[in-house]
């Protein structure tokens, strides 16, 4: 989660700085300014990093919060596809993997707890 959050932070900083590596689209349904998307990704990235740090403490609430925040990250990057498709698809995959890992880890712990 921390890695995915750092990637989202870098994406947000690049968008806020209005770097030339982004594609300019005109007729897209979810039209925000490039700096608006940058702030969305920057804030979401910071929250994902904080959630990742909370997951490392082993708190159950942190897993649930991590699933929600990583799901929001996947949605935000899906909506970001027209601006930078390769980066967006990479982060969608990373966020989906995070959701899977958090849900699978919880299932294993619940199963192991009932066997003891």
């Amino acid at each position: 989660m921390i890695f995915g959050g750092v990637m989202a932070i870098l994406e947000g900083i690049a968008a806020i700085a209005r770097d030339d590596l982004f594609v300019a689209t005109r007729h897209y349904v979810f039209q925000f300014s490039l700096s608006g998307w940058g702030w969305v990704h920057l804030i979401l990235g910071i929250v994902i990093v904080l959630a990742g740090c909370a997951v490392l403490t082993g708190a159950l609430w942190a897993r649930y919060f991590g699933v929600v925040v990583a799901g929001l990250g996947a949605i935000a990057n899906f909506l970001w596809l027209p601006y930078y498709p390769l980066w967006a698809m990479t982060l969608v995959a990373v966020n989906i993997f995070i959701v899977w890992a958090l849900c699978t880890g919880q299932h294993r712990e619940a199963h192991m707890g009932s066997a003891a």
Side-chain angles (χ1 to χ4, degrees):
M1 280 188 79
I2 295 171
F3 174 72
V6 169
M7 287 176 65
I9 289 171
L10 294 175
E11 177 181 41
I13 290 171
I16 291 169
R18 296 176 187 248
D19 203 351
D20 291 334
L21 82 139
F22 297 108
V23 177
T25 58
R26 282 189 250 160
H27 302 294
Y28 186 57
V29 176
F30 305 103
Q31 283 187 325
F32 289 134
S33 67
L34 189 59
S35 62
W37 274 115
W39 283 107
V40 167
H41 288 289
L42 180 66
I43 293 169
L44 195 56
I46 291 169
V47 173
I48 290 172
V49 168
L50 293 175
C53 292
V55 167
L56 290 177
T57 66
L60 184 61
W61 66 267
R63 284 184 183 264
Y64 293 126
F65 183 65
V67 168
V68 170
V69 173
L72 288 174
I75 292 168
N77 281 297
F78 178 75
L79 298 176
W80 178 252
L81 273 171
Y83 297 97
Y84 198 177
L86 182 62
W87 188 268
M89 287 304 292
T90 302
L91 286 180
V92 167
V94 166
N95 284 315
I96 290 173
F97 177 73
I98 290 169
V99 169
W100 173 81
L102 289 174
C103 292
T104 302
Q106 182 179 359
H107 176 70
R108 286 184 186 161
E109 289 175 0
H111 180 68
M112 294 179 99
S114 64

